[in-house]
């Protein structure tokens, strides 16, 4: 994270324009990333791509600012700080998801730079957020209406999930008449910028199998209730459940976590997240997911992160990580309750499969899902 921290400091508005940005003329294609937050979405979808793009000979990226993950601040506060010189410099301007009326801004941009292409990266299906997730309470009807309208103002919308790409393209074509917005799939990838100065991988030194649950939703966690209770009661002395960032509190969730004697850890800032994940010394992580539109269109960030740390997963057949897993080789896939129970119990008795798959997952993620010249081609194909 060293490079990202230094970049965030350099982009502080207290410094002069010339100190923050290099807009010297060249023959490259220019990408302007607008105010990503320093959270998972900002990192995977804007910050890491910008840093990796700048390694190429054909494209150049500038990030306007890197904002703290402060929910009390509106994106419009940062968007309004867009400097005219950056707008004129850009061939593409990439926004995060926009939930306020930006018609005035888009008109101003098009006046300053009529040839610029407008892009919005949509990190999840905001039209299908479950009610149990606190985000759903912030997505008022007015905000969703603005978001829908803003989709039609874009030339390109980028997403990290192929199923979501097809859904959103149909949605735009059906709901927004006479709009020519093109939805493009760009996968989230692993970048070494996120793991600078990271400590060596930490391994479980206890006698118990440490089984992780990372920021599960209430519905997804409760879908594994029988699995968790069964294994906790049968192998109490051999298994330790660990939850990082428990779901929105409910009596049923609280009772379940208490019954399985789950080791609880509060969510941490993204700057500290990778270090925290490493420190948990997890042997395996469960990725539950109910069959619903929101899960089907989710991103794959967590699977990427766990694989980097050599932590294999058991993923629900409804989890998007399924698309990345070779069952039994780079992870495990389960559907019915008996499958989850059987897999966990086999690992408790013999963790040989876990160690083998952990090694495979670690190798696979850096071979297939990191930024390479081949993956850089994805960006040069979209931003031409």
């Amino acid at each position: 994270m060293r490079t990202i921290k230094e970049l965030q400091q350099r982009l502080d508005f207290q410094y002069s324009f010339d100190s923050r940005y290099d807009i010297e003329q060249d023959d490259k294609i220019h990408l302007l990333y607008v105010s990503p937050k320093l959270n998972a979405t900002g990192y995977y979808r804007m910050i890491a791509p910008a840093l990796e793009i700048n390694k190429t000979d054909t494209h150049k990226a500038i990030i306007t600012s890197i904002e703290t993950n402060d929910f009390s601040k509106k994106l419009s506060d940062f968007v309004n700080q867009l400097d005219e010189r950056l707008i004129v410099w850009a061939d593409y301007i990439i926004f995060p998801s926009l939930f306020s009326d930006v018609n005035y801004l888009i008109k101003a941009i098009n006046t300053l730079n009529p040839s610029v292409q407008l892009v919005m990266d949509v990190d999840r299906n905001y039209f299908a957020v479950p009610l149990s997730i606190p985000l759903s309470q912030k997505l008022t009807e007015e905000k969703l209406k603005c978001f829908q309208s803003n989709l039609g103002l874009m030339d390109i919308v980028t997403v990290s999930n192929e199923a979501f790409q097809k859904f959103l393209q149909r949605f735009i074509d059906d709901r927004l008449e006479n709009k020519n917005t093109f939805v493009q799939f760009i996968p989230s990838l692993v970048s070494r910028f996120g793991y600078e100065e990271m400590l060596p991988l930490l391994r479980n030194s206890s006698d118990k199998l440490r089984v992780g649950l990372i920021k599960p939703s209430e519905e997804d966690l409760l879908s594994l209730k029988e699995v968790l209770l069964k294994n906790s009661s049968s192998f109490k002395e051999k298994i330790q459940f660990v939850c990082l960032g428990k779901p929105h509190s409910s009596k049923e969730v609280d009772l379940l976590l208490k019954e399985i004697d789950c080791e609880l850890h509060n969510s941490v800032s993204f700057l500290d997240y990778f270090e925290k994940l490493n420190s948990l010394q997890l042997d395996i992580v469960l990725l539950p997911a109910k069959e619903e539109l929101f899960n089907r269109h989710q991103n794959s960030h967590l699977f990427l992160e766990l694989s980097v740390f050599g932590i294999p997963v058991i993923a629900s057949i409804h989890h998007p990580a399924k698309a990345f897993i070779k069952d039994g080789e780079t992870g495990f896939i389960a559907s019915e309750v008996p499958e989850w129970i059987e897999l966990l119990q086999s690992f408790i008795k013999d963790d040989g499969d876990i160690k083998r798959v952990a090694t495979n997952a670690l190798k696979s993620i850096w071979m297939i899902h990191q930024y390479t010249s081949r993956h850089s081609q994805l960006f040069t194909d979209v931003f031409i």
Side-chain angles (χ1 to χ4, degrees):
M1 288 284 183
R2 183 188 69 254
T3 300
I4 295 170
K5 291 177 182 177
E6 292 173 352
L7 178 61
Q8 184 181 30
Q9 292 175 352
R10 180 165 61 82
L11 294 176
D12 192 293
F13 280 95
Q14 67 176 309
Y15 299 115
S16 69
F17 181 90
D18 291 337
S19 298
R20 286 178 282 144
Y21 311 118
D22 173 15
I23 59 170
E24 288 187 6
Q25 289 300 313
D26 53 42
D27 58 356
K28 295 183 178 181
I29 295 171
H30 298 158
L31 279 64
L32 181 65
Y33 287 88
V34 179
S35 301
K37 288 184 177 180
L38 194 50
N39 57 16
T41 296
Y43 167 72
Y44 283 104
R45 304 302 297 170
M46 301 183 82
I47 298 171
L51 293 172
E52 295 288 347
I53 284 169
N54 281 333
K55 293 180 179 179
T56 70
D57 297 325
T58 57
H59 290 61
K60 180 177 179 178
I62 286 178
I63 299 173
T64 61
S65 62
I66 298 177
E67 305 299 334
T68 56
N69 194 22
D70 185 349
F71 292 104
S72 66
K73 291 185 178 180
K74 296 181 179 179
L75 176 66
S76 57
D77 296 337
F78 310 122
V79 169
N80 289 336
Q81 296 171 350
L82 263 178
D83 192 284
E84 293 182 6
R85 289 167 287 185
L86 291 175
I87 294 173
V88 172
W89 172 86
D91 295 303
Y92 294 85
I93 299 178
I94 300 100
F95 298 98
S97 298
L98 300 170
F99 296 93
S100 56
D101 186 350
V102 294
N103 274 280
Y104 72 95
L105 173 67
I106 301 305
K107 289 179 181 177
I109 289 173
N110 285 327
T111 299
L112 288 166
N113 187 349
S115 64
V116 73
Q117 294 281 292
L118 301 175
V119 184
M120 181 161 62
D121 187 77
V122 180
D123 58 313
R124 68 195 73 185
N125 189 343
Y126 288 98
F127 300 109
V129 179
L131 293 176
S132 65
I133 296 179
L135 175 62
S136 66
Q137 300 170 18
K138 300 178 181 179
L139 293 173
T140 63
E141 185 176 341
E142 180 182 358
K143 287 184 177 180
L144 286 175
K145 188 175 180 180
C146 282
F147 174 62
Q148 178 176 312
S149 176
N150 291 337
L151 289 172
L153 298 176
M154 299 295 128
D155 298 291
I156 303 171
V157 170
T158 53
V159 297
S160 64
N161 178 299
E162 290 183 278
F164 186 32
Q165 174 195 16
K166 295 174 183 177
F167 167 90
L168 198 55
Q169 188 68 71
R170 289 196 303 268
F171 181 94
I172 292 171
D173 293 343
D174 293 343
R175 300 282 188 93
L176 304 175
E177 294 183 4
N178 303 318
K179 300 298 182 181
N180 297 312
T181 305
F182 179 65
V183 183
Q184 177 68 50
F185 165 66
I186 298 181
S188 294
L189 297 167
V190 173
S191 170
R192 295 190 182 275
F193 285 112
Y195 300 93
E196 292 171 325
E197 302 175 332
M198 182 62 62
L199 294 172
L201 300 184
L202 300 177
R203 295 305 181 206
N204 181 9
S205 56
S206 74
D207 295 329
K208 293 185 177 183
L209 185 75
R210 290 178 63 81
V211 180
L213 296 156
I214 312 296
K215 300 179 183 178
S217 70
E218 180 181 352
E219 290 96 341
D220 292 341
L221 179 62
L222 292 178
S223 72
L224 283 186
K225 182 176 181 178
E226 185 179 347
V227 175
L228 300 175
L229 291 174
K230 176 73 173 177
N231 282 285
S232 179
S233 61
S234 300
F235 300 95
K236 190 172 183 179
E237 303 303 319
K238 297 183 178 181
I239 192 169
Q240 176 65 61
F241 290 107
V242 181
C243 183
L244 173 60
K246 78 169 189 173
H248 189 58
S249 185
S250 74
K251 289 184 179 179
E252 191 172 5
V253 166
D254 291 343
L255 180 60
L256 173 60
L257 294 175
K258 184 177 181 180
E259 285 188 73
I260 64 174
D261 191 26
C262 187
E263 178 183 309
L264 298 176
H265 295 263
N266 293 329
S267 296
V268 297
S269 73
F270 188 73
L271 280 176
D272 301 321
Y273 172 67
F274 290 152
E275 184 178 350
K276 180 65 176 181
L277 193 59
N278 193 19
S279 73
L280 294 178
Q281 300 183 30
L282 301 174
D283 293 300
I284 197 162
V285 165
L286 310 183
L287 299 182
K290 294 191 69 177
E291 169 54 38
E292 59 186 16
L293 204 59
F294 183 72
N295 280 334
R296 201 182 311 156
H297 296 163
Q298 273 284 51
N299 58 59
S300 56
H301 300 167
L302 182 54
F303 175 75
L304 299 179
E305 293 158 359
L306 295 171
S307 296
V308 167
F309 287 107
I311 306 171
V313 305
I314 305 177
S316 165
I317 197 171
H318 304 303
H319 197 284
K322 174 191 172 185
F324 298 85
I325 295 173
K326 289 185 178 180
D327 193 18
E329 293 185 34
T330 58
F332 305 91
I333 299 172
S335 55
E336 303 299 326
V337 167
E339 290 181 83
W340 288 89
I341 293 175
E342 183 181 351
L343 278 169
L344 269 178
Q345 292 185 355
S346 69
F347 300 147
I348 292 169
K349 296 172 183 176
D350 181 3
D351 65 357
D353 272 351
I354 287 183
K355 293 177 180 177
R356 175 182 58 82
V357 171
T359 301
N360 292 343
L362 181 58
K363 290 180 179 178
S364 174
I365 209 69
W366 287 111
M367 288 176 61
I368 302 173
H369 301 289
Q370 74 157 318
Y371 283 93
T372 61
S373 57
R374 179 174 64 87
H375 285 115
S376 295
Q377 188 66 39
L378 293 171
F379 291 90
T380 58
D381 287 345
V382 174
F383 304 117
I384 57 176

